[in-house]
Amino acid sequence: MHSAYKKWILNSYDKINSDYVELDKLDQLVGDGDHGSTIYKGITVAKQLYLNKLTSPLDETMAIISKQMRIEMGGASGILMSIFFDESGKIDKSNLNSSIIDIFEKSIDKIMKIGKVKAGDKSILDIYIPVLNFLKKNSDFQFKKNEINEILSLSLAKTKEMEAQVGRAKFLENRGLGFIDPGAKSTEIILREYFESLL
Ligand SMILES: [Mg+2]
């Protein structure tokens, strides 16, 4: 699992590195304009730590990465986005499918509780939940990477039509309607790279 996770973190870093300026621009439209730079800080520290921690068990590695991402990123997005990284360390090679489902369920549960956010609020959850639903409905999901990628794209596009109930966008007159959610965008990138590396 270590090599797949290493690939995930390094590829996510590369993608965020090339996209974070665009993400900041998107966040200028609906937030305070720093989401790209914030996630870039987080994934940079994740990359550095991953390269240093290769000898630790995966769950320990990912717990450390999650904690440092949270500290590095700060704010609500740091807390909420680091959750998946921590949970992802609990993957079980001998129970791959059910452990991945478990990772998504626990992440969603924590994001809902800690972020006081629900489906349709225009947040990162609007990416996680459709993916989880797909995984639960498709016991052979490890052979359906293309479909998962499609779910990711569609779920991201749907946030455009949502009015924000959380985050800064909810204070805007149009509640961010017509724009995709920046956190959903970075989550889509990270989950796409996750399945790309894992499956
Ligand atoms: Mg911000």
Side-chain angles (χ1 to χ4, degrees), residues 9 12-13 16 39-47 69 85 190:
I9 303 279
S12 295
Y13 170 84
I16 298 283
I39 186 74
Y40 181 63
K41 274 188 216 164
I43 200 71
T44 301
V45 78
K47 179 187 169 180
M69 284 181 85
F85 286 82
I190 283 162

Side-chain angles (χ1 to χ4, degrees), residues 68-114:
Q68 286 306 319
M69 284 181 85
R70 173 169 59 74
I71 292 167
E72 200 62 40
M73 292 169 67
S77 67
I79 293 169
L80 299 180
M81 297 204 67
S82 63
I83 289 171
F84 180 77
F85 286 82
D86 185 27
E87 292 300 326
S88 74
K90 296 164 193 164
I91 195 161
D92 177 3
K93 210 175 180 175
S94 55
N95 259 314
L96 195 62
N97 278 24
S98 62
S99 68
I100 294 174
I101 288 175
D102 214 43
I103 286 166
F104 274 81
E105 278 179 336
K106 293 219 168 80
S107 298
I108 288 168
D109 207 45
K110 285 188 178 171
I111 292 165
M112 289 180 103
K113 275 185 194 138
I114 298 169

Side-chain angles (χ1 to χ4, degrees), residues 140-157:
D140 57 346
F141 71 74
Q142 70 266 42
F143 307 113
K144 294 189 167 171
K145 196 154 76 175
N146 292 343
E147 280 104 317
I148 294 175
N149 282 336
E150 228 164 276
I151 300 277
L152 286 167
S153 302
L154 284 171
S155 308
L156 180 62

Side-chain angles (χ1 to χ4, degrees), residues 27 31-35 38 77 168:
D27 195 30
D32 60 352
D34 67 352
H35 184 73
T38 302
S77 67
R168 286 170 208 258

